[in-house]
């Protein structure tokens, strides 16, 4: 179907909204925008976000000299969507928007530039084509050919040319629909547009903001059609024309003029022919009634123009007040120009991020030494030189390669000095075409039934109830799907080269967003999504000195300030007290669904990470109060996160910092009022999570950690501050290098100074009775291998040796080895640390010589040397003393 819409259709934004509102929910694969002027900040706010949310690759191409945005206001060019510039001797002037889906194709060709004025304020004219990829009008195929042919006539970045070719291929219909032969595509790549206009007409109607100062284009249109009447719509203040030449050109036939009010710019371009039988044929598009637009080809120095010719039911000429030629003659004369400014000496068409370099596409109008500068955001004072090149005057584009660390999205410009004049190009943005590609087609992969946002989940228990049911179903389906595809994990032979070229991180996020929606992905991967939708204001820049306004209070020093834990993190949502029991029940069921089992597969890692992030959110909301039952569930969450090491290894490296931060925060919270390898219930739960997960916690990075941290003022809130988490991460790093590091740290916190002597661990302290510290050592240091440890206060020592199934204890004040069977869940700390004296045992042995039953438990430790220093001291005075000669 082809329609010409003027009043009901505002701009391509209308098409995006209509596509989004389609009940069938078809994904959008491509969104292409061509224009003369471009405002990327406007497009990011109103178009890019919507198109990307529907899955499209967004591509913007405009004239290299006509950007009206400040680069510091552009936030997502290059890494969310691809932007390129085009240049020819004339103006790159088409106005085009194309939407391509799996089956449908929608096209808008008209007069509006992709700016606030062009897509939101001016009076514009658009032609909308709606077709299908399997069957479409002939003009759809003509547009496909124009797109694929355009790079041969117009200089542009190579990756943009490839995109145009791809879209052209997708646009070309398999079967041609010839039901509308009147609909044709007009352009001037090979022949002037005037040659495609009708040769006969009863009347011609013209409307355009620019009309030739010479009147040549008006004369050419009238000479070709030979009408009996011409009507011209003008604005007295806003149209650009010379009254005398316009009146002279129109005088070869009966001329009428209409005055359109000047409240809004009449920017629509219309050439309308009315047959003698009353049928109306219009040309709607980008072409003004000027020589560069209508009378020249691109090769001849004309503009690059695009228009649609079609029959319509009624005239599209604005219905405005008629005015006489005498009145028009009195209006001010304005000579129009498609390029009001001199052509820049340097044109930067685009920059592409390669593996280790940046490819720059340049058209130079000077012979000079050119410096390539890059900036993270285009702010003044932030530009850094990255390469110097010798530029030669040429009309063709050249490619330079720059070694630079800047990522996709960085601003880039060219700078040269001509005499005393500094010449700068219009900035471009480093582009990673793969990151900007269409979102992955997920087929029938499971997903939530609705897009949930955290505010509504935490604030509305009814929404949370629906979400909980939906999430449990998704977790189940995800686990089943992973179980059924587990054998496909290993890559097939010959695919390594293909995989190496992929952006695994973007695909990882795409899959996560498909499953859970952007809101929940942002919870687990804060700041990772390249979504233009943001409530955070961009930071402002300033030139000048910045004073340090940090003031010291009385009795405060600089070191005091450095020790303060700066309040970081997002404020946690609040759960009403009456709803907390329901939330606890929901989170418990979620944990059960992601907990590893002997024969069940796990849901995907992003799903498990989302459950972990939700758990931390609810902990910070204080829904458990004084109830400590959350510890077991949180430990299960941590174990679930790290259970599938193969999946972690297969995940992109960028995900590691987010996983590490979640694990580190969980361990820090579990570590409150608990110690690794301690004997209390909270210690045992922490140890259960710590042992398999502490090495993953070392993957965290500061910037990700700060985004994961939460704040809360709720009574009963459980959350960890930055200092706590960093201490946990540091302990995890030490534990990774030294398996005893966490135990040493816990013992040191308990006042025990631990060192290794003669193959035994020795702890010295100020305790009165060394039995409990010795039992603590034998419990917390034991890793399954034979262990010897000593606790001493200088006057009295207790030595314990432990192996699988047994432990032996020697108190220097008693002088007898006591051997005990040790079966789980008993530990030396549970046996000797209860403060009830020495437990009874049937196996009591002399201290020396070392009994074989004790020596077998000691492993590689030199027990003789240990006892010489920490065993019983001196010879007892009588046989009835604590020990006898036999003991020696």
């Amino acid at each position: 179907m082809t329609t010409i819409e003027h009043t009901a259709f505002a701009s391509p934004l209308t098409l995006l909204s209509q596509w989004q509102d389609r009940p069938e929910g078809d994904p959008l694969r491509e969104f292409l925008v061509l224009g003369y002027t471009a405002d990327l900040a406007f497009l990011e706010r109103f178009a890019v976000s919507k198109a990307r949310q529907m899955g499209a690759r967004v591509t913007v191409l405009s004239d290299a000299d006509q950007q009206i945005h400040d680069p510091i206001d552009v936030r997502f060019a290059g890494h969310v969507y691809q932007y390129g510039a085009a240049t020819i001797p004339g103006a790159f002037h088409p106005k085009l928007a194309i939407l391509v889906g799996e089956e449908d194709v929608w096209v808008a060709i008209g007069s509006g530039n992709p700016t606030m004025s062009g897509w939101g304020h001016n009076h514009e004219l658009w032609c909308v084509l709606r077709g299908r990829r399997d069957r479409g009008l002939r003009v759809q195929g003509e547009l496909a050919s124009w797109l694929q042919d355009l790079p041969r006539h117009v200089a542009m970045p190579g990756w943009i040319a490839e995109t145009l070719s791809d879209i052209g291929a997708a646009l070309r219909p398999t079967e041609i629909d010839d039901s509308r032969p009147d609909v044709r595509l007009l352009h001037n790549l090979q022949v002037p547009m005037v040659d495609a206009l009708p040769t006969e007409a009863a009347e011609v109607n013209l409307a355009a903001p620019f009309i030739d100062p010479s009147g040549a284009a008006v004369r050419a249109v009238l000479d070709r059609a030979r009408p009996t009447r011409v009507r011209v719509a003008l604005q007295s203040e806003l149209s650009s024309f010379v009254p005398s030449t316009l009146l002279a050109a129109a005088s070869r036939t009966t001329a009428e003029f209409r005055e359109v009010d000047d409240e809004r710019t009449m920017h629509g371009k219309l050439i309308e022919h009315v047959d003698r039988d009353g049928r109306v044929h219009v040309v709607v598009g980008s072409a003004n009634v000027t020589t560069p637009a209508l009378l020249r080809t691109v090769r001849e120095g004309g503009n690059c123009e695009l228009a649609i010719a079609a029959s319509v039911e009624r005239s599209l000429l604005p219905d405005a007040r008629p005015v006489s030629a005498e009145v028009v003659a009195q209006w001010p004369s304005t000579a129009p120009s498609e390029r009001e400014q001199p052509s820049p000496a340097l044109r930067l068409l685009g920059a592409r991020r390669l593996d280790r370099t940046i490819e720059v596409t340049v058209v130079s109008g000077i012979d000079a030494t050119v410096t390539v500068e890059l900036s993270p955001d285009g702010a003044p004072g932030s530009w850094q030189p990255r390469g110097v090149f010798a530029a030669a005057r040429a009309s063709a584009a050249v490619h330079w390669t720059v070694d630079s660390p800047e990522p996709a999205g960085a601003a880039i410009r060219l700078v040269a000095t001509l005499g005393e004049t500094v010449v700068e190009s219009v900035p471009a943005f480093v582009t990673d075409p793969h990151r900007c590609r269409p979102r992955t087609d997920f087929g029938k992969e499971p997903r939530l039934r609705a897009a949930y946002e955290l505010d509504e989940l935490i604030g509305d228990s009814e929404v949370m109830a629906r979400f909980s049911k939906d999430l449990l179903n998704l977790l189940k389906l995800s686990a089943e799907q992973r179980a059924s595809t587990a054998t496909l994990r290993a890559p097939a032979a010959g695919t390594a080269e293909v995989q190496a070229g992929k952006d695994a991180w973007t695909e990882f996020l795409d899959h996560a967003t498909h499953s859970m929606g952007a809101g929940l992905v942002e919870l687990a991967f804060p700041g990772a999504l390249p979504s233009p939708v943001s409530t955070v204001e961009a930071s402002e820049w300033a030139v000048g000195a910045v004073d340090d306004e940090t003031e010291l209070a009385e009795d405060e020093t600089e070191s005091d300030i450095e020790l303060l834990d700066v309040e970081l993190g997002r404020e946690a949502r609040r759960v009403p007290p009456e709803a907390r029991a329901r939330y606890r029940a929901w989170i418990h069921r979620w944990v059960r669904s992601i907990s590893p089992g002997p024969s069940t597969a796990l849901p995907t890692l992003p799903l498990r990470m989302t459950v972990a992030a939700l758990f931390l959110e609810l902990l910070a909301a204080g829904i458990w109060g004084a109830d400590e039952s959350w510890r077991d569930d949180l430990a299960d969450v941590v174990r679930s996160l790290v259970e599938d090491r193969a999946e972690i290894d297969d995940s992109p490296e960028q995900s590691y910092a987010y996983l590490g931060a979640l694990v580190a925060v969980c361990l820090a919270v579990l570590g409150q009022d608990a110690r690794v390898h301690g004997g209390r219930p909270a210690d045992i739960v922490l140890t259960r999570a710590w042992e398999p997960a502490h090495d993953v916690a070392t993957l965290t990075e500061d910037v990700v950690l700060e985004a994961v941290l939460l704040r809360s003022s709720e009574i009963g809130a459980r959350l960890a501050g930055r200092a706590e988490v960093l201490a946990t991460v540091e302990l995890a790093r030490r534990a990774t290098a030294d398996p005893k590091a966490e135990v040493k740290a816990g013992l040191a916190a308990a006042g025990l100074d631990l060192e290794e002597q003669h193959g035994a661990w020795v702890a010295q302290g100020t305790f009165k009775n060394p039995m409990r510290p010795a039992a603590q050592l034998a419990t917390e240091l034991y890793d399954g291998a034979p262990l010897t440890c000593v606790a001493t206060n200088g006057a009295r020592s207790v030595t314990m040796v432990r192996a699988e199934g047994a432990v032996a204890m020697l108190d220097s004040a008693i002088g007898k080895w006591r051997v005990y069977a040790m079966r789980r869940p008993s530990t030396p700390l549970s046996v000797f640390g209860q403060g009830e004296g020495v437990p009874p045992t049937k196996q009591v042995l002399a201290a020396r010589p070392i009994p074989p039953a004790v020596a077998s438990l000691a492993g590689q430790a030199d027990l003789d040397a240990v006892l010489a220093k920490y065993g019983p001291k001196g010879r007892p005075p009588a046989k009835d003393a604590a020990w006898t000669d036999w003991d020696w």
Side-chain angles (χ1 to χ4, degrees), residues 756-777:
E756 192 172 6
Q757 299 178 15
H758 306 295
W761 290 105
V762 179
Q764 300 187 35
T766 58
F767 40 79
K768 292 183 179 180
N769 186 347
M771 184 176 297
R772 191 181 193 285
Q776 185 175 342
L777 296 179

Side-chain angles (χ1 to χ4, degrees), residues 37-109:
T37 55
D39 183 350
L40 298 186
F42 162 78
L43 287 174
E44 288 183 353
R45 181 178 179 187
F46 293 102
V48 173
S49 59
K50 188 173 294 186
R52 286 296 283 173
Q53 286 169 6
M54 291 187 284
R57 170 171 60 179
V58 178
T59 306
V60 182
L61 181 66
S62 70
D63 191 284
D65 306 336
Q66 299 299 320
Q67 300 178 31
I68 64 173
H69 48 260
D70 190 311
I72 199 171
D73 296 327
V74 178
R75 302 178 59 196
F76 304 105
H79 60 105
V80 174
Y81 65 98
Q82 48 187 16
Y83 171 73
T87 188
I88 54 175
F92 181 73
H93 206 247
K95 284 81 172 171
L96 170 70
I98 298 178
L99 289 77
V100 181
E102 297 293 340
E103 298 178 350
D104 294 328
V105 173
W106 294 0
V107 176
I109 298 175

Side-chain angles (χ1 to χ4, degrees), residues 251-264:
S251 65
R252 61 192 58 207
T253 186
T254 302
E256 298 179 6
F257 300 92
R258 294 184 178 184
E259 182 184 12
V260 179
D261 66 67
D262 290 311
E263 291 183 5
R264 293 168 62 190

Side-chain angles (χ1 to χ4, degrees), residues 13 262 278 319 481 515 568 621 634 767 849:
L13 295 178
D262 290 311
D319 186 14
Q481 186 181 66
S515 295
L568 296 172
L634 187 57
F767 40 79

Side-chain angles (χ1 to χ4, degrees), residues 492-681:
T495 62
E497 183 176 346
V498 175
Q499 293 295 328
K502 287 192 172 184
D503 183 351
W505 177 230
T506 305
E507 292 185 2
F508 181 88
L509 293 174
D510 282 352
H511 279 270
T513 305
H514 170 79
S515 295
M516 298 175 288
L520 293 179
V521 171
E522 181 67 20
L523 183 64
F525 302 93
L529 285 182
S531 172
V533 180
S534 176
T535 58
V536 180
E537 293 294 331
S539 59
E540 296 182 356
W541 56 267
V543 178
V546 179
D547 295 330
D548 183 1
E549 298 180 353
T550 305
E551 296 183 1
L552 298 178
E554 189 176 353
D555 300 326
E556 216 173 32
T557 67
E558 291 286 353
S559 60
D560 295 326
I561 294 293
E562 292 174 0
L563 291 174
L564 291 177
D565 189 11
V566 179
E567 187 178 43
L568 296 172
R570 172 178 54 79
E571 186 71 27
R573 273 68 172 182
R574 182 179 183 276
V575 175
E578 63 274 12
R580 291 179 176 178
R582 297 182 69 189
Y583 279 73
R584 290 196 298 270
W586 285 324
I587 194 72
H588 181 73
R589 288 197 290 270
W590 304 344
V591 173
R592 298 279 71 76
S593 293
I594 67 168
S595 296
S599 59
T600 58
L602 293 171
T604 62
L605 181 60
L607 283 173
R608 307 197 306 272
M609 291 174 66
T610 300
V611 171
L614 285 168
F615 201 123
L616 291 174
E617 186 83 25
L618 295 175
L619 273 174
I623 69 169
W624 279 271
D627 184 358
E628 293 281 294
S629 62
W630 58 270
R631 289 185 179 273
D632 280 309
D633 279 346
L634 187 57
D636 287 341
V637 168
V638 173
R639 291 171 62 86
S640 166
L641 291 177
V642 303
E643 177 73 13
D644 192 339
R645 290 305 177 102
E647 183 186 15
I648 295 175
D649 292 340
D650 290 343
S651 299
E653 290 185 8
Q654 294 92 328
S655 67
Y656 294 170
Y658 295 92
L659 176 62
L662 275 177
V663 170
V665 174
C666 290
L667 291 176
V669 174
L670 282 169
Q672 293 171 348
D673 305 320
R675 289 195 307 107
V676 179
H677 298 301
R680 297 173 303 161

